[in-house]
Amino acid sequence: MTIAALGSHGATGRTISEQFHAFDARNPHVYRSLDTENSLLPARPVVLVVAPGDENYRGYCLEQVADAYDIVLLTGTEPSWEKPHITDHAVVDLSNPAALLAGGRALAARHDLAGVMTWDEWSVVPTARLARQLGSSTTAPEVMQGCRNKATARSLFARHGVPSAASVSVRTRQEAEAAAERIGYPVVLKPASHAGAIGVLRVDDRAQLTAAYRAAERTAGQGTESTSVLVEEFLDGPEISVECVTYRGGTTVVAVNRKTISPPPHFEQLAHSVDADDPLRETVAPAARAAINALGITDGVSHIEMRLVDGRPRLIEVNARLAGDMIGHLVRLATGIDLVRAAADIACDRAPDLTPTRSSAAAIRLLYPDTSGTLTHLTYDGPRPTWLDRLHYQCRPGDQLLLPADGGNLYTGRIGYLITTATTGQQARARADQAARAVTAVLDRTSGPRSAAA
């Protein structure tokens, strides 16, 4: 039994093998230039990057850092796609803080490091510790711990008067039930220390709470900064993120990203869009700066998530690193501001250049099937206009896809993504929807659980 998703059942086009790299080809990076006498120019500054992540969503980050810096890499696996962008590396167990610090010190002994950085959520605390040990610029490790622990962040928001959500940390289902009754349904259950909306569920009544608590507790058990579960007030309104750059305590609000979220009970991110002229930026900038100040962030790029409740910003969380889902790429397409370069510059204690050079818009559509199962066919049968910046598939026929409704997450359910550009955010989103309709995914549901997700 098959089902065609995200496009016409009768659509035809190039096979996935033909189009898999159609929009991802990049020229090899040149590390050094030769002068007229054919001698090497002086070496560029060296930056240590911890945990480069997945090429699908973080490849552009490494590429953009390599435009200005020589990179040495601290990674959990032997480099593959990273090789054209790095000059040296060390493989360590990134989940072991002592091993990470030892690996970083070994690289520092071989290179004159200008700075240390990461865009990996799970590595922000140990990376800050490593930077401090090496005498590099960094926000304090204890501040990074506060960002990673949502309970700590909520307490700091309350202390500093930052508009947020009512929140209670719990350790048992009974405590969760009592907290939900006090806050009032609907509530949100989430791990205090995780990422990617994994284990985050909306609960509309007591009957839904037990299953939601078990899911949140299971994910919370993997946390490093906290293993508790939070029961929180549901903030009813559009969700956005605010992309900020902080250097030596001064914060610049660079862009606003408008999100599309899946229907409850899950909070899967389905789409993002950035408009250089978004009027929301002035509305939300004070709350974004207040959140950064409350947490004590002094240096770095931050991804701040909010909801607009009755038109007013209420904080969800602050991620003290570059946003995922290619949002940094959207910001560059829309404004010309390179957040990745800014993060590297700040790590090396250099003032970042945040001058806008464009005034346009960009959007990303994250591609999901409408059912779990085995992917059997994937094609794109549409035009290839200049506004289609990227079309990328992260899976191939034969792969198993498991949606959140069936116990999966963003890592197990996504097909890939496409990115569009336009003069306005509304037009960029419309073009993304248009391109997504030309993607056809066929899945065999007999080999996996059937999904109720749309």
Side-chain angles (χ1 to χ4, degrees), residues 307-320:
R307 280 196 181 237
L308 301 176
V309 181
D310 297 327
R312 297 179 180 178
R314 302 273 298 277
L315 265 292
I316 299 174
E317 65 185 56
V318 173
N319 300 283

Side-chain angles (χ1 to χ4, degrees), residues 48 61 86 126 133 141 250-251 368 394 438 450:
L48 169 57
C61 295
I86 65 175
Q133 283 197 10
T251 295
Y368 287 88
Q394 62 195 62
R450 184 168 179 170

